[in-house]
Structures are given as C-alpha cells and as structure tokens.
Amino acid sequence: MTETENNVTRDHEPRKEMDPAFDAFRRSDDHGRDPNQLFLNPLLLPIITVRFLGAMWFSWLYYLVVLIFGPALSNDSLEVAILPAWREAIIVRSGQVLARMVLFCMGFHRVKRIIVPGYDEEKARHSTIMSNHVSLVDILLMMSVYMPTFVAKEAVRSIPLVGRILTGIQGIFVDRLKTERGNATALVKARQESLAKGERVLPLHLFPEGTTSNGEFMLPFKTGGFVSGNPVQPVIIRYPYDNFSPAYESVYAVPFIISLLSQWQNHVEYELHPLYVPSEEEKADPALYSRNVRDYMANAAKLKLSPSTYFDKIEYHAIVRNTEPPMKPKAA
C-alpha cells in the first residue's frame, strides 16, 4: 500500500521494531532501546568532567592552529586553498597529534593498527580512503591516521569550531537543497582527480554507506565516490566493547557522549588493506565498482551485508523514539 501526503510517500505499511530491515541499526549492547538511556557510572563523574574538558581543550587548540596557519575562509566549494608546505605540515601534523589526544580523553587509550600485506602508505595518501561507518569517533580516528578531508553539508561550514576546522583541512561542502546529486558527485570527482595527478591536496575520506550502522553489518555503498574510476583505499574500523558499544546508533548525541566517557576504557582498531585498483569493467560501471569494493570490505571485516537504506534507519529510529514514521520524497 502506498500512502501519499504533500511531496512525500510511504511505499509500505508501518513495520514492527523487530523487522529484519532494522537489523543493521539495532544496538547489540546492553544500552537498550531507549535513545535517552544513559550508561553511567556515578563514581566516574569527576573523570567524565575531566575527560570532556580535556577533549574540548585539544579541539580548541587545533581550532587556533587552523585559525593561525590555515587558509582564509571561502564560500567556493570548488576552490582548494594550497598552503605553503610548512604551513600545511603544521596543519596536518598538529591535527594528527591533537585528534589522537581527543581520542585519549574519550577513553581510547590504545588504538590498534593492523596492516594487511600489500598496503602502501604513499599510495594511500594519494587515493580516496573509504571505510565502514560505525561511530562519530570514526572521523577523529581517521584524522589521527591520515588527516584527510571530508565531505560535509553546507550548514556545517557555519558551525563554530567545526566549520572552521573543516575549511582548514580543505573540506568539501555540499548544499543538499541547492546542489544536484550529480554536481555533488562532480565535486568529489574533481578532488579525486587532483589526488590522482599528485597535486598537493589532502587525502579524501568517504563513508560510502552514507550513514552509520551498529558495526555488525555493511550497508549498500553510494556510487558517487566511484564515478572517477580511480583506485580507493579500503579501511576497516572495529570497536570491540565490553558494555557500551561506541556505535552511534539509536541513541541521542548527549547520552551517547556521556555513556562513552563513562567507560573506563574504550577500544578501537583499524585495518589497512592494499589499494583496490578497479578493472576496466569496474571503471566503466560505478555501480559494479561500488558493489565489488563493498563485497571485498565486508568479507575482510566479516560483516553481514544488509540491503537496508537510510530511510529504513530513520523509520526504525522513529519506532524506538515514539515519533511519526518518516516518508520518502516523491519520485519526480
């Protein structure tokens, strides 16, 4: 049954919480289904406060570094500010160190690095880095490893602290209301071409799933990052946990951060794989290319493949948050 209202549509009956379509978004820890629930040890409140202030301090410190040594602000999403080598070195190295310090403040005292035979660091830094997306922590982790740039919504540019830092690391900003999907892909492709030519730009990192999962599944990949046909660098991220999973799923931001800081120690590991070089057939077919990279990464990470989409995710969130189920935009 299809239900239509204004410019949106729902192409199925409302589903139950345990529907298999929601398996990739259902938390697997003891947190429970309540998105406001806290996993909190009251005895750790002083430590939580110190950790939070420490993380904010190192974030503000990097903001100051970008403010002093970074590029001037620009509203042009196509413009890439090329800094003198010494200023870029300060931006990159300080970013890696301070991102690692923020991770430490969040309880990630040890970060496990796994290198698969065939991995080439130099090639990785001139390619598009692609990883599975599990947590908000993924971004900090990748900053501490590669100090790449990211794709973000245009609205992020105006967020204090975050917007200026993303501008400083050559972020790609996309206005989803004004930018056609093809144009957004063109922005990514242009940056990938710059990397392939060896131009002095920061590595580009993409989360091809487009959203987070619970860390046990791999969602379908978006094809935008594969249109250029250039090689990609697969990275697998895992969060072993004892009580509270760092997966950013079915929980609001504040309870998530407090629960994460409440654990004495959090765990993360990342696995660096050899560069994935596409065949001629994959270069000509971005959908085939994206599926093959997804299959490779899921097999390497021992993750289950899920056909679920972002709309399944927000429908599940509506169920556990007791809000109105969402509707998809009507097809043109």
Side-chain angles (χ1 to χ4, degrees):
M1 177 181 179
T2 300
E3 178 184 346
T4 304
E5 180 179 325
N6 297 328
N7 284 321
V8 292
T9 182
R10 184 181 297 123
D11 55 11
H12 59 76
E13 294 288 350
R15 293 174 286 190
K16 303 296 184 182
E17 181 178 344
M18 300 309 294
D19 191 291
F22 304 143
D23 287 349
F25 313 116
R26 193 176 294 111
R27 294 193 67 84
S28 54
D29 57 14
D30 296 328
H31 178 269
R33 69 186 297 279
D34 182 0
N36 286 302
Q37 180 176 328
L38 285 176
F39 184 87
L40 176 64
N41 184 345
L43 297 178
L44 293 181
L45 281 175
I47 296 178
I48 294 172
T49 302
V50 171
R51 282 180 167 179
F52 177 77
L53 293 176
M56 290 303 300
W57 163 250
F58 288 119
S59 299
W60 275 105
L61 190 58
Y62 188 57
Y63 170 79
L64 292 176
V65 170
V66 171
L67 205 60
I68 296 171
F69 298 103
L73 290 175
S74 171
N75 291 321
D76 187 352
S77 296
L78 291 172
E79 181 181 350
V80 179
I82 304 299
L83 298 172
W86 66 274
R87 286 172 60 187
E88 182 181 295
I90 291 175
I91 293 289
V92 171
R93 188 55 187 153
S94 63
Q96 290 177 303
V97 172
L98 293 173
R100 182 66 188 90
M101 295 306 298
V102 173
L103 284 171
F104 185 87
C105 291
M106 296 176 71
F108 294 93
H109 303 147
R110 296 178 182 176
V111 175
K112 185 176 181 180
R113 174 187 176 108
I114 302 170
I115 298 180
V116 176
Y119 170 72
D120 188 310
E121 180 82 14
E122 185 61 27
K123 289 181 180 178
R125 291 189 175 278
H126 291 88
S127 305
T128 302
I129 302 156
M130 292 195 175
S131 73
N132 56 317
H133 198 10
V134 182
S135 176
L136 296 178
V137 180
D138 297 346
I139 295 174
L140 285 169
L141 176 64
M142 289 295 97
M143 288 177 70
S144 72
V145 178
Y146 291 111
M147 201 57 212
T149 190
F150 299 91
V151 178
K153 295 182 294 185
E154 179 63 37
V156 174
R157 193 197 296 265
S158 60
I159 296 177
L161 190 74
V162 177
R164 187 64 181 91
I165 288 176
L166 270 177
T167 301
I169 59 174
Q170 304 172 348
I172 299 175
F173 296 95
V174 176
D175 188 333
R176 294 184 179 180
L177 296 179
K178 297 180 181 179
T179 304
E180 296 290 338
R181 179 177 298 180
N183 290 336
T185 299
L187 293 175
V188 171
K189 183 180 179 181
R191 186 64 58 87
Q192 290 174 319
E193 296 293 349
S194 296
L195 284 166
K197 293 175 184 176
E199 296 178 9
R200 194 158 53 81
V201 294
L202 297 181
L204 173 64
H205 184 282
L206 297 176
F207 295 112
E209 294 168 288
T211 190
T212 56
S213 71
N214 59 14
E216 297 182 358
F217 291 81
M218 186 160 283
L219 305 176
F221 280 10
K222 308 294 184 183
T223 59
F226 299 90
V227 171
S228 69
N230 290 312
V232 297
Q233 173 57 58
V235 177
I236 306 297
I237 302 175
R238 301 186 186 89
Y239 292 92
Y241 66 91
D242 297 319
N243 297 301
F244 179 78
S245 169
Y248 188 56
E249 264 308 325
S250 309
V251 60
Y252 290 123
V254 172
F256 171 79
I257 293 172
I258 293 176
S259 297
L260 197 65
L261 296 178
S262 295
Q263 296 198 121
W264 177 250
Q265 184 168 287
N266 292 300
H267 307 275
V268 63
E269 58 187 43
Y270 62 96
E271 194 171 280
L272 305 174
H273 285 255
L275 200 69
Y276 189 106
V277 181
S279 65
E280 292 302 319
E281 186 179 8
E282 289 172 324
K283 290 179 182 178
D285 187 347
L288 174 66
Y289 188 8
S290 67
R291 286 197 304 270
N292 289 348
V293 173
R294 178 188 182 225
D295 289 345
Y296 170 83
M297 292 177 64
N299 182 63
K302 295 181 173 57
L303 296 176
K304 292 169 278 189
L305 294 176
S306 170
S308 300
T309 67
Y310 178 69
F311 287 102
D312 295 313
K313 175 190 179 107
I314 57 178
E315 182 177 346
Y316 175 67
H317 285 186
I319 293 173
V320 299
R321 296 173 181 179
N322 295 314
T323 58
E324 181 67 21
M327 291 186 176
K328 295 182 182 181
K330 288 176 64 176

